[in-house]
């Protein structure tokens, strides 16, 4: 297990992190509160209903810039004083946001150069939100000034327990191409390469006559007649992630200047925001705060949720994190905004808690009557309190109040899943052997195989610490740094069980194909080389000789030391290796050279896990999620029944949600139980053995 303070997927961190505040005796419960959208008469009702629902913390001010600073340098904070005082008086803690995700019209109007520009040269307008260029000095100065005003005013307010900078940096604008951004990009490149010839070498500018004579010639990857240099695109993505982080850090530092104590964070979008490399953000936030929204029409939406939650936990090496936003029911931005079914919101919220969240917050408290999100669900829906959603919200408030004992407890996993935002960027650039290889699909499908067998996994990144994990599953690592491959090889030699899937180890961080051919620095570890890729025509499937079915991808694998476990039984590589296994020291490195159907992929992950002595618990029916959190004195077993039948598990304990104690637990269809079991003093420390049970 990674240490306290280590970003498991990133690097060992020495960052001192302020802990998440607790408030009251339960877990945190609440959401974004936007009182400025309502007349003040409504605020008293908000407070009354928040108390009725058991709300303990709300995020205030996320989109309040125009109200807080109606004209440049003129501040109107009286209303916010009243809001925060009112909440505090009602016993509700405030996560106070800086409003920098919603620059007001005066800012965009006065400083039009602060508006972002697309790669096609279109300057985006205002009238929505996130209309800012992350490199704009005018924007950054204005955001920092307001953070300073807020920090100065509210640092000593006893109701404020946490700071929330901006909102989902980079969610909507995945990079700006204005002249200011281009200038910042050139400075960033000069820092990275020092010398333009080094950049020419890294970017391979001999190709298509792209050689740069000076920094001044370099632009952001603007729309061009053909795909822009892949290394340039990747550096721009890194730069964009860094620029947004610099925006966040600038505001954070201003707040920190006023407030040495409270945690400062921003809401991330782990697992579905492609624009930021969050491993590199891990040290910048005191607490990981994640927003997660279901893709309503996905049959595996609850599994996607579990992945996002595991990633949130893993970003800080297992430390407690907080679900900052999810929805009570439908969102408003999908093609069909399907409402959650009864009980689904509760399962969603408690599934995040099962995987380490210290509570559940929503977007948003009261549904907006006006504006672009008027059809988005909320804790208090348009229909008021005589509604299913309101009743379920109140019930969830009660549940979370009862779950106080799980606070601070940890999830422990001995299986690691590899995740790298930079490889995601590189995989989905233009002109790949197949255009429809989706990074998220590969990761989620592979994760699903593990989830379906009841395994809890941590997520690790390219600089992640593998010590203590018994299995590492790499669904996709097209971009793979040699150092990462070397560390993985050492870990396998020491006894690790590794599964690597096709099209991994192909390029380095400059998107240069590794010199030894495919799969680059993994060749010796996997005991094979790949001579040529043979993508399959759309819709074509090929069998394997073990009865599996594959599609999308086939390739010519030439084994060295690897043993062939299954072969292609059709298609361009008929008779050639499709699944191999290579013994390395005390460990094993498996390679899967194609995209298997989900059920057969599950067969492969089972075989890999079996090598580490990890098997599926036989009494866990499909669709029943069991996750454990380990506290100092208790083990907490979350059982989430996603099926339409009741399930009885041989799990003893006291259900914190109902107070009943039993030796076996029956969880109704769609229901949840959280079983507390006292730990014997000798086994009080979280153990991986326990997790596997
Ligand atoms: C989030 C955002 C919220 C709200 C929500 C709607 O991404 O932070 O402000 O827009 O989406 O689902």
């Amino acid at each position: 297990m990674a240490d306290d303070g280590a970003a498991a997927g990133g690097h060992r961190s020495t960052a001192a992190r302020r802990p998440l505040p607790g408030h009251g005796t339960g877990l945190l419960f609440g959401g974004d509160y936007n009182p400025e959208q309502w007349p003040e008469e409504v605020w008293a009702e908000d407070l009354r209903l928040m108390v009725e629902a058991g709300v303990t913390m709300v995020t205030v001010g996320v989109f309040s810039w125009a109200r807080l600073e109606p004209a440049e340098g003129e501040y109107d904070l009286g209303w916010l004083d009243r809001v925060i005082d009112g909440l505090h008086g009602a016993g509700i803690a405030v996560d106070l946001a800086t409003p920098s995700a919603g620059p007001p019209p005066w800012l965009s109007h006065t400083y039009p150069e602060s508006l972002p520009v697309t790669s096609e040269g279109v300057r985006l307008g205002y009238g929505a939100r996130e209309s800012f260029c992350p490199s704009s000095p005018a924007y950054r100065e204005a955001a920092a000034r307001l953070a300073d005003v807020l920090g100065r005013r509210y640092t000593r307010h006893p109701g404020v327990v946490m700071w929330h900078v901006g909102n989902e940096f980079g969610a909507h604008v995945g990079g700006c191409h204005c002249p200011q951004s281009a200038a910042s990009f050139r400075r960033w490149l000069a820092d990275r390469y020092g010398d333009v010839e080094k950049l020419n070498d890294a970017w391979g500018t001999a190709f298509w006559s792209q050689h740069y004579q000076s920094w001044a010639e370099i632009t952001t990857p603007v729309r061009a007649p053909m795909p822009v240099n892949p290394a340039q695109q990747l550096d721009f993505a890194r730069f964009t992630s860094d620029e947004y982080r610099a925006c966040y850090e600038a505001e954070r530092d201003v707040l920190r200047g006023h407030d040495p104590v409270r945690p400062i964070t921003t809401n991330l979008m782990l697992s579905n925001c492609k624009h930021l490399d969050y491993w590199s953000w891990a040290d910048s936030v005191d607490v990981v705060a994640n927003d997660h929204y279901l893709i309503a029409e996905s049959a595996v939406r609850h599994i996607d949720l579990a992945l996002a939650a595991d990633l949130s936990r893993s970003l800080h090496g297992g430390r407690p994190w907080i679900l900052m936003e999810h929805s009570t029911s439908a969102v408003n931005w999908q093609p069909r905004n399907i409402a959650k079914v009864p009980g689904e919101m509760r399962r969603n919220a408690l599934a995040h808690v099962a995987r380490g969240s210290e509570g559940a917050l929503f977007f948003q408290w009261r549904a907006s009557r006006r504006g672009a999100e008027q059809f988005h669900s909320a804790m208090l829906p348009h229909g008021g309190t005589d509604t299913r959603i309101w009743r379920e919200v109140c019930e969830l408030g009660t549940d979370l109040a009862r779950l106080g004992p799980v606070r601070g407890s940890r999830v422990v996993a001995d299986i690691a899943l590899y995740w790298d935002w930079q490889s995601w960027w590189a995989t989905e650039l233009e002109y790949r052997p197949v255009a429809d290889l989706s990074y998220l699909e590969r990761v989620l499908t592979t994760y699903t195989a593990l989830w379906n067998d009841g395994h809890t996994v941590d997520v690790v990144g390219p600089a992640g610490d593998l010590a203590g994990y018994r299995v590492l599953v790499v669904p996709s690592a097209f971009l793979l740094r040699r150092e990462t491959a070397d560390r993985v090889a050492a870990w396998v030699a020491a006894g690790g069980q590794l599964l690597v899937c096709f099209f991994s180890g192909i390029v380095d961080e400059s998107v240069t194909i590794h010199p030894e051919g495919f799969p680059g620095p993994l060749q010796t570890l996997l005991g094979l080389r790949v001579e040529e890729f043979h993508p399959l025509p759309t819709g074509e499937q090929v069998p394997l000789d073990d009865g599996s079915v594959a599609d999308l991808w086939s390739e010519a694998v030439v084994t060295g030391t690897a043993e062939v476990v299954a072969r292609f039984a059709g298609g361009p590589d008929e008779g050639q290796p499709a699944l191999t296994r290579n013994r390395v020291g005390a460990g094993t490195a498996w390679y899967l050279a194609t995209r298997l159907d989900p059920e057969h992929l599950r067969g492969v992950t089972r075989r890999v896990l079996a090598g580490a002595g990890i098997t599926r618990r036989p009494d866990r029916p499909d669709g029943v999620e069991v996750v454990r959190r380990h506290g100092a004195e208790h083990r907490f077993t979350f059982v989430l029944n996603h099926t339409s039948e009741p399930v009885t598990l041989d799990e003893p304990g006291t259900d914190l949600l109902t107070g009943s104690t039993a030796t076996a637990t029956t969880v109704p269809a769609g229901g949840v139980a959280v079983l507390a079991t006292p730990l014997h003093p000798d086994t009080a420390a979280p153990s991986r053995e326990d997790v596997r049970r």
Side-chain angles (χ1 to χ4, degrees):
M1 181 176 69
D3 289 342
D4 230 8
H11 48 281
R12 288 234 162 239
S13 156
T14 50
R17 300 197 180 105
R18 277 90 179 161
L20 189 67
H23 193 71
T25 52
L27 296 182
L28 294 169
F29 177 52
D32 280 20
Y33 180 35
N34 298 306
E36 68 273 30
Q37 295 177 16
W38 299 88
E40 286 206 29
E41 310 82 86
V42 176
W43 299 359
E45 185 189 51
D46 284 332
L47 294 181
R48 182 174 62 73
L49 293 176
M50 283 181 194
V51 170
E52 183 177 318
V55 166
T56 63
M57 182 172 86
V58 290
T59 304
V60 178
V62 182
F63 293 106
S64 307
W65 195 336
R67 186 76 196 267
L68 291 169
E69 189 181 4
E72 186 166 8
E74 281 175 28
Y75 302 103
D76 174 8
L77 304 184
W79 70 274
L80 187 57
D81 291 350
R82 293 194 290 286
V83 168
I84 297 178
D85 289 347
L87 288 162
H88 182 53
I92 297 163
V94 174
D95 167 35
L96 185 55
T98 65
S100 46
W106 64 255
L107 188 123
S108 313
H109 182 75
T110 314
Y111 305 101
E113 75 281 9
S114 69
L115 291 165
V117 173
T118 68
S119 64
E120 313 221 322
V122 176
R123 196 173 279 279
L124 299 178
Y126 49 98
R129 68 175 178 192
E130 215 185 299
S131 277
F132 67 86
C133 155
S135 304
S136 158
Y139 165 78
R140 285 196 187 186
E141 280 159 26
R145 239 180 3 247
L146 189 47
D148 184 52
V149 168
L150 294 171
R152 190 180 307 278
R153 177 103 154 198
Y154 296 108
T155 290
R156 269 167 294 280
H157 199 296
V160 175
V161 297
M162 179 154 92
W163 295 99
H164 179 298
V165 174
N167 191 69
E168 294 182 343
F169 280 94
H172 309 295
V173 179
C176 174
H177 298 264
C178 76
Q180 295 172 133
S181 295
S184 289
F185 184 43
R186 285 188 284 272
R187 284 194 292 277
W188 185 94
L189 291 168
D191 265 4
R192 183 173 171 89
Y193 295 104
D195 165 350
V196 83
E197 281 314 323
K198 286 207 176 113
L199 174 142
N200 278 309
D201 184 47
W203 285 13
T205 54
F207 181 78
W208 279 354
S209 177
Q210 291 166 359
H211 189 270
Y212 293 102
Q213 301 296 343
S214 72
W215 298 109
E217 291 174 358
I218 301 172
T219 65
T220 61
V222 290
R223 176 80 189 270
M226 293 282 283
V228 172
N229 183 306
Q232 181 179 358
Q233 294 198 57
L234 221 69
D235 271 344
F236 183 68
R238 293 184 180 111
F239 158 77
T240 297
S241 179
D242 286 358
E243 284 294 87
Y244 279 118
R245 198 181 64 237
C247 290
Y248 162 77
E249 288 176 350
E251 288 193 61
R252 178 203 62 185
D253 292 348
V254 168
L255 294 171
R256 187 54 77 221
H258 292 291
D259 186 343
V261 176
R262 294 180 183 83
I264 306 177
T265 192
T266 182
N267 47 343
L268 311 177
M269 301 173 74
L270 291 156
S271 97
N272 54 15
C273 177
K274 185 178 173 183
H275 301 147
L276 306 183
D277 178 358
Y278 285 123
W279 292 128
S280 78
W281 282 63
D283 281 350
S284 300
V285 294
D286 285 316
V287 170
V288 171
N290 195 42
D291 296 352
H292 184 263
Y293 290 92
L294 299 181
I295 300 302
E297 291 191 70
S298 163
V300 293
R301 56 190 183 275
H302 54 301
I303 304 180
D304 176 70
L305 180 161
L307 171 58
D310 286 342
L311 187 48
S312 304
R313 182 185 69 252
S314 300
L315 202 72
H316 272 184
R319 283 163 50 104
W321 59 280
I322 182 74
L323 174 66
M324 190 57 91
E325 289 180 23
H326 69 318
S327 68
T328 56
S329 189
V331 299
N332 63 306
W333 42 265
Q334 294 176 12
R336 295 273 166 106
N337 294 296
I338 316 283
K340 291 190 181 179
V341 297
E344 188 172 3
M345 175 191 74
R346 179 178 192 242
R347 281 197 307 285
N348 293 163
L350 297 181
H352 284 288
V353 173
R355 292 172 190 275
S357 176
E358 296 284 79
L361 280 71
F362 292 91
F363 174 83
Q364 63 177 329
W365 161 249
R366 186 186 275 271
S368 299
R369 288 184 57 217
R370 302 186 173 92
E373 295 183 325
Q374 60 193 160
F375 294 113
H376 196 290
S377 60
M379 298 173 80
L380 181 58
H382 293 298
T385 54
D386 187 12
T387 53
R388 172 178 75 87
I389 289 183
W390 176 254
R391 284 185 284 277
E392 289 194 22
V393 163
C394 293
E395 283 158 20
L396 181 62
T398 306
D399 287 339
L400 292 170
R402 291 181 176 152
L403 291 180
V406 309
R407 254 198 218 164
S409 58
R410 302 287 188 98
V411 176
V412 183
D414 53 9
I415 301 171
L417 182 85
Y418 186 77
W419 176 293
D420 179 11
W421 276 274
Q422 299 197 15
S423 188
W424 181 1
W425 301 336
T427 304
E428 295 179 3
L429 291 174
E430 308 89 339
Y431 285 12
R432 297 288 164 245
V434 288
D436 52 348
L437 176 60
S438 152
Y439 183 81
L440 282 188
E441 182 278 324
R442 285 293 73 212
V443 176
L444 182 59
T445 303
T446 313
Y447 178 86
T448 299
L450 299 165
W451 188 97
N452 277 332
D453 276 346
H455 302 300
T456 302
V457 309
D458 283 344
V459 183
V460 298
D465 181 2
L466 295 173
Y469 292 112
R470 299 165 72 176
V471 177
L472 172 65
V473 176
V474 183
S476 177
F478 167 66
L479 182 158
L480 187 68
R481 297 156 194 81
R482 193 167 294 278
E483 316 80 88
T484 305
D486 289 348
R487 281 187 313 100
V488 171
W491 169 85
V492 172
Q497 302 294 315
L498 170 73
L499 171 63
V500 175
C501 301
F502 68 94
F503 205 43
S504 290
I506 309 300
V507 299
D508 68 11
E509 58 272 40
S510 299
V511 205
T512 299
I513 289 176
H514 283 293
E516 58 270 67
F518 312 134
L522 295 173
Q523 285 187 6
T524 309
L525 174 60
L526 298 174
L528 51 78
R529 65 191 173 85
V530 174
E531 208 175 288
E532 193 181 8
F533 307 133
H534 296 142
L536 300 169
T538 308
E540 187 168 313
Q541 294 190 323
V542 294
L544 269 54
D545 64 3
D546 63 358
S548 318
V549 182
D551 72 351
L552 185 81
W553 194 270
S554 177
E555 60 185 24
V557 175
V558 181
T559 48
T561 53
E563 162 199 352
V564 180
V565 179
R567 293 178 185 273
F568 289 104
D573 297 293
E574 185 166 0
Q576 301 306 310
L579 176 66
T580 64
R581 174 168 62 191
N582 193 34
R583 310 256 179 226
V584 180
T588 314
W590 293 72
Y591 181 64
L592 178 59
T594 186
R595 182 168 83 172
L596 285 190
D597 65 288
E599 212 34 55
H600 288 104
L601 177 62
R602 191 174 175 184
V604 171
T605 54
R606 281 183 180 175
R607 294 177 77 161
V608 175
L609 267 56
I614 302 175
T615 50
R616 175 170 206 251
R617 244 180 96 128
D619 65 343
R620 263 177 219 169
D622 276 2
V624 178
E625 184 174 2
V626 181
V627 189
R628 298 196 200 283
R629 288 179 61 156
H630 302 263
E633 291 166 7
H634 288 85
R635 187 182 74 197
F636 303 100
T637 304
F638 287 70
V639 184
L640 298 112
N641 183 359
H642 299 283
T643 76
S644 51
E645 298 296 329
V647 63
T648 300
L649 295 187
D650 181 19
E651 289 281 352
T654 302
D655 186 350
L656 295 177
L657 300 175
T658 61
S660 65
T661 302
T663 47
T665 302
T666 299
V667 184
V672 184
V674 182
L675 304 168
T677 319
L679 289 176
H680 184 276
D682 296 345
T683 56
S687 97
R688 291 198 155 84
E689 199 54 47
D690 217 351
V691 172
R692 275 196 305 280
R693 286 193 48 241

